[in-house]
Amino acid sequence: SGQKVCYGDFKHSCYKLAYFQDLSRRVGFQEARQACEIDGGALLSLGSEAEQQLIENMLQNLTKSGSGISDGDFWIGLWRSGDGLATSSACPDLYQWADGSISPFRNWYTDEPSCGSEACVVMYHQPTANPGLGGPYLYQWNDDRCNMKH
């Protein structure tokens, strides 16, 4: 389940936000990817700062809607396959969009991606967390282990 929002002026005309307060309903990266594909879509690929801002606004509206939304990061469709150069300085260049799009746009949090065993990417949504070096953990990207539940 999720909230579907459509826009006529963006490359991807509709977005579906799925947020589960119930931790047992949250899923890993591959499960989220499959759920999107079954629904006829794909995990979110962000092509520009404008699209990033649109998604941030949608998440802010979701928060204001009184749904009781709390901390919980969102999977996006960016990931790194294989571990070949995962610890080298080339690591950030190994991330690719799951839907095959080639957007170079990135919105990493300070000191991310950390690479290593973290190969799948979330958009931070931790409004109750104390800010870190890069400010509040809201809307920037972080690589995480693919089996984490978001």
Side-chain angles (χ1 to χ4, degrees):
S1 65
Q3 176 182 354
K4 189 173 183 179
V5 181
C6 296
Y7 292 89
D9 58 342
F10 273 84
K11 179 180 163 195
H12 305 291
S13 57
C14 292
Y15 300 87
K16 184 174 180 182
L17 300 176
Y19 175 77
F20 303 107
Q21 279 190 302
D22 179 356
L23 298 179
S24 69
R25 296 193 60 202
R26 295 182 184 183
V27 297
F29 180 83
Q30 292 300 345
E31 293 167 284
R33 186 176 178 180
Q34 288 171 347
C36 290
E37 290 170 358
I38 288 169
D39 222 16
L43 276 175
L44 179 65
S45 294
L46 290 142
S48 67
E49 180 65 40
E51 191 172 20
Q52 170 78 27
Q53 189 60 56
L54 174 70
I55 299 302
E56 291 179 21
N57 292 342
M58 289 170 56
L59 291 174
Q60 288 165 5
N61 289 339
L62 183 66
T63 304
K64 289 178 196 164
S65 71
S67 64
I69 198 167
S70 57
D71 289 359
D73 300 334
F74 291 86
W75 286 119
I76 62 174
L78 193 64
W79 71 300
R80 175 177 46 81
S81 62
D83 288 317
L85 302 170
T87 57
S88 77
S89 61
C91 174
D93 297 328
L94 299 176
Y95 284 84
Q96 59 193 357
W97 294 108
D99 67 359
S101 59
I102 56 170
S103 167
F105 176 74
R106 300 293 186 265
N107 190 41
W108 295 113
Y109 191 78
T110 300
D111 295 334
E112 299 296 344
S114 51
C115 300
S117 63
E118 299 179 337
C120 296
V121 179
V122 295
M123 181 180 291
Y124 273 139
H125 188 267
Q126 299 177 21
T128 68
N130 290 327
L133 293 174
Y137 294 96
L138 283 172
Y139 316 122
Q140 308 93 339
W141 307 352
N142 172 48
D143 57 333
D144 203 351
R145 293 191 319 277
C146 299
N147 63 351
M148 295 298 289
K149 307 290 186 190
H150 296 294

